[in-house]
Amino acid sequence: MHELLSSLVRSCSLPRLLVSVLIVTLLALPAVAGQAAMKICYPDFWPFFHRQDNGHMTGFFHDIVTEALDRMDIQATWAAYPWPRCQHLVETGESDAMITFPSAKRLMYSKTHQDPFYEKKLTVFTYVRHPRLREIKAIKSIEDIRKLNLTVITYAGNGWNDKNIRTRGIKTYDTALLKNVWLMLANKRGDIVIEWPGGAWPDIRDTGTESAVLQTDVSLQAIPFHLMIGKMSPYADRLPKFNQVILDMKNDGSLDRILDKYIKRHQDDPR
């Protein structure tokens, strides 16, 4: 490139100002064409994002964001890390982006878009033929769980449960393994489980408790998920365009197509 520019300066009969403009334009082209791919870090967790043994990335968070970025002609690389490490990498600028819900702390070092591309609804599960099923189906809030004196089964380290359930004095039973939550519920070791259906049903099937576990229509909270890009990233100013692409994907059915590929919809079982 430098040899080409030197030759241009020596041989060109164009006015010096025009030559200068051409040089600046040529110097800018490689930077655009060779822009580094957006580095996205994630905690490996099916069905959000998961790298298979053959190296192929899958998961509906991955597919949604990848399709949106493809429509923007942005390439991305995905690297798995423990969740605290992911946040640190974005904060320090070592990675460009992560996928999570905006919090006051995260917004101190990153930016996001207006409309979430997915809302994770936390739903109440119970066991089949629970003697207080009618009352459970009528739950409208976490406070109702406390008033009904129901017990909750969860897994150790569930931050949402610690913050929203345990602090209210609601009796909670913990298990070290997430899958064991459904075995405990099936064996009536507690009254309810509060989980996201998309992640719950694969574990329910794996533990063979499908006939013993009942998903209700009670949803207690919807957690919005966004692409969050570090303020130091050169991609931070592309977030408004990303938001528009997400809206386009909602309107043209692309989001539903991706979600239907991963999430089996379960209706309330009247048993």
Side-chain angles (χ1 to χ4, degrees):
M1 175 61 72
H2 289 295
E3 292 179 3
L4 174 63
L5 293 175
S6 298
S7 176
L8 178 63
V9 171
R10 288 194 303 268
S11 62
C12 187
S13 59
L14 294 174
R16 185 177 297 276
L17 178 60
L18 182 54
V19 172
S20 299
V21 171
L22 287 171
I23 291 172
V24 171
T25 302
L26 288 170
L27 286 172
L29 285 175
V32 174
Q35 186 175 29
M38 180 188 291
K39 293 182 288 187
I40 303 176
C41 54
Y42 67 97
D44 199 284
F45 183 47
W46 174 265
F48 298 111
F49 5 59
H50 172 66
R51 190 177 298 278
Q52 298 175 337
D53 292 340
N54 61 7
H56 178 69
M57 278 294 298
T58 185
F60 70 90
F61 278 9
H62 167 268
D63 289 4
I64 290 171
V65 171
T66 296
E67 179 160 336
L69 294 178
D70 283 347
R71 295 188 186 193
M72 298 169 63
D73 295 321
I74 295 176
Q75 298 298 312
T77 61
W78 296 74
Y81 295 96
W83 181 230
R85 178 68 173 165
C86 285
Q87 297 173 87
H88 174 75
L89 291 173
V90 174
E91 183 174 8
T92 58
E94 296 174 71
S95 286
D96 294 295
M98 59 186 175
I99 297 169
T100 184
F101 65 91
S103 66
K105 182 177 181 181
R106 292 173 186 141
L107 288 171
M108 291 176 66
Y109 59 83
S110 63
K111 297 180 179 180
T112 192
H113 47 100
Q114 180 176 344
D115 300 286
F117 63 78
Y118 183 74
E119 290 188 311
K120 176 182 172 183
K121 294 183 179 180
L122 297 180
T123 298
V124 172
F125 292 77
T126 188
Y127 56 81
V128 171
R129 298 188 182 90
H130 193 293
R132 303 177 66 187
L133 182 58
R134 181 173 297 181
E135 293 174 276
I136 291 173
K137 287 185 174 182
I139 291 172
K140 301 296 183 185
S141 66
I142 295 174
E143 182 62 17
D144 288 342
I145 297 174
R146 188 191 66 80
K147 290 179 179 178
L148 291 171
N149 199 31
L150 297 171
T151 57
V152 177
I153 302 170
T154 190
Y155 56 93
N158 184 339
W160 183 89
N161 187 87
D162 291 342
K163 179 180 178 181
N164 296 281
I165 300 297
R166 204 184 303 271
T167 56
R168 294 175 183 261
I170 298 171
K171 180 66 176 177
T172 301
Y173 297 106
D174 293 347
T175 174
L177 299 177
L178 176 56
K179 286 186 177 182
N180 287 349
V181 163
W182 307 109
L183 293 171
M184 290 176 66
L185 185 63
N187 287 301
K188 304 178 183 180
R189 298 281 300 277
D191 295 305
I192 62 173
V193 170
I194 305 168
E195 268 299 333
W196 172 62
W201 279 103
D203 284 347
I204 293 171
R205 289 193 292 270
D206 285 349
T207 54
T209 55
E210 293 163 282
S211 62
V213 171
L214 175 68
Q215 177 183 328
T216 74
D217 290 331
V218 178
S219 292
L220 295 177
Q221 187 177 0
I223 302 174
F225 280 84
H226 294 242
L227 177 67
M228 300 195 71
I229 300 180
K231 292 181 178 179
M232 291 184 283
S233 170
Y235 289 103
D237 61 354
R238 304 296 302 278
L239 281 164
K241 175 62 176 177
F242 180 85
N243 193 77
Q244 183 57 55
V245 171
I246 288 298
L247 295 178
D248 292 343
M249 290 174 64
K250 288 181 178 179
N251 292 331
D252 66 23
S254 298
L255 276 180
D256 286 339
R257 171 180 53 78
I258 292 171
L259 291 172
D260 287 344
K261 176 182 174 183
Y262 288 96
I263 302 175
K264 180 180 179 181
R265 307 199 192 297
H266 290 261
Q267 301 298 322
D268 193 4
D269 191 327
R271 291 176 296 172

